Structures are given as C-alpha cells and as structure tokens.
Amino acid sequence: MAGHVTAVSCNATYSFSKPNRESITLLAGLGVEGDVHAGETIRHQFRMTYEPDLPNLRQVHLMHEELFDELALKGFDVSAGGLGENITTRGVDLLGLPTGALLHLGKQAVVEVTGLRNPCAKINDFRTGLLGEVFALDPVSGEFTFKSGIMAVVRRGGPVRPYDTIGIELPPLPHRPLERV
C-alpha cells in the first residue's frame, strides 16, 4: 500500500500530546482548524516570547508511525498524537523529503514541507530517555539526527482523515535538504 494517514490529532490548548480525532480540517495559510499552533505567525509557545512576528512555518506537524515501531523495540510506548503531531503517516519517508515538497493529503488538502521538527526536552517529561532516541549525534559525520517528524504549512485546505492517501510532489531540482524550523 502507498503512503497513507494513520491518525489525525489536534488540541485547542498547549499540551505536549494531542488527542486523536476522526478528522481534522486544514486551513490554507493557517494550519489545523482549532489547533493551538494554527496561525499566520509563529505559535510555538517558547519562540513566541522572543520572535512573535515570524511567519509560522510550523502550522502542521507530521510524524511517521514507523518511528513508534522503532521506539517500541527500545521499550518506549508511544502512539499517534503522543508527541504532539497533527498527522501520523505510514509508508512515506518524511525525513527524506526535501524542503518544499508538497504532500497531497486525501482528495483536497495540500501541505508544503518547511523543515524538521526540533525536538525539545519536554519529550523526556513524556517518557524518560526518549529525547536521546529522537535526537542524536551521529558519531561518524558529527551531524545531528532529528527523527521526530517534519513541519509544514497549508497551501490548500481541506479535511484529512485516517486512511487518506498521501501523494508526493517534489520541488524542482536541486533539492534542499530539510533543516530545523
């Protein structure tokens, strides 16, 4: 089966985890309707205090369900919405996408990939030791590895539900690798 949505989540208040929903509605230029992180300008609780007028490049958080499988093998019980993502996927190499890739979600919605989610220390409050599993230094390259999903902005709104297919439209070459946003 091709890539698809496995769960959708949103929360109107700041909380580390987000409850699963039957569907969410993406709003062009804003994010997930009713989600605390929706808006034209940055809504990240910490960054709003010193960069309140920056454009919101983190309107939608997507995470690959395969990460939960990997974490389970290491003894961590994590499920959809647990790490604060809005859309949980399966069958898409989210971390391998370039900046600017378009993801067609279901029949209508389209999001543009803006970068990697920068995991924060609150992940260890959720599950002790989890930060080290989603954020690590590669001993060979000296580069940091971020595995806690990607961020996107909404280019075309619409409903998104579990089992919706995910189409990928790559930007023109040369591709820019994902960086933290």
Side-chain angles (χ1 to χ4, degrees), residues 4-176:
H4 65 283
V5 174
T6 61
V8 294
S9 310
C10 75
N11 199 341
T13 60
Y14 285 106
S15 173
F16 187 76
S17 298
K18 295 186 180 194
N20 295 155
R21 309 289 182 187
E22 289 183 18
S23 70
I24 57 174
T25 300
L26 301 186
L27 303 173
L30 295 173
V32 179
E33 182 177 41
D35 192 80
V36 69
H37 292 103
E40 291 179 3
T41 57
I42 198 158
R43 293 290 185 254
H44 184 269
Q45 200 169 18
F46 174 71
R47 292 178 71 186
M48 281 190 329
T49 61
Y50 65 94
E51 301 174 309
D53 298 324
L54 283 182
N56 187 2
L57 300 178
R58 302 165 57 105
Q59 294 174 358
V60 181
H61 177 199
L62 297 97
M63 189 172 296
H64 51 295
E65 192 174 55
E66 291 86 351
L67 176 62
F68 304 152
D69 300 339
E70 178 186 326
L71 294 172
L73 294 173
K74 296 177 180 182
F76 293 97
D77 178 25
V78 181
S79 59
L83 296 180
E85 75 277 11
N86 299 110
I87 299 173
T88 310
T89 69
R90 184 165 286 280
V92 176
D93 180 12
L94 295 177
L95 303 179
L97 293 170
T99 300
L102 298 177
L103 300 179
H104 297 259
L105 305 166
K107 295 179 181 177
Q108 196 174 343
V110 178
V111 298
E112 180 180 341
V113 177
T114 56
L116 294 168
R117 178 192 184 193
N118 187 13
C120 69
K122 288 183 179 183
I123 289 177
N124 277 339
D125 295 338
F126 176 70
R127 299 281 189 275
T128 303
L130 189 56
L131 181 61
E133 299 300 329
V134 297
F135 174 79
L137 180 64
D138 184 315
V140 176
S141 70
E143 298 288 322
F144 285 104
T145 300
F146 299 91
K147 298 190 284 186
S148 57
I150 62 170
M151 306 307 291
V153 294
V154 181
R155 292 298 179 218
R156 187 170 63 221
V160 181
R161 296 175 182 85
Y163 308 107
D164 279 351
T165 58
I166 301 172
I168 301 169
E169 184 180 342
L170 296 177
L173 292 170
H175 292 162
R176 289 187 351 229

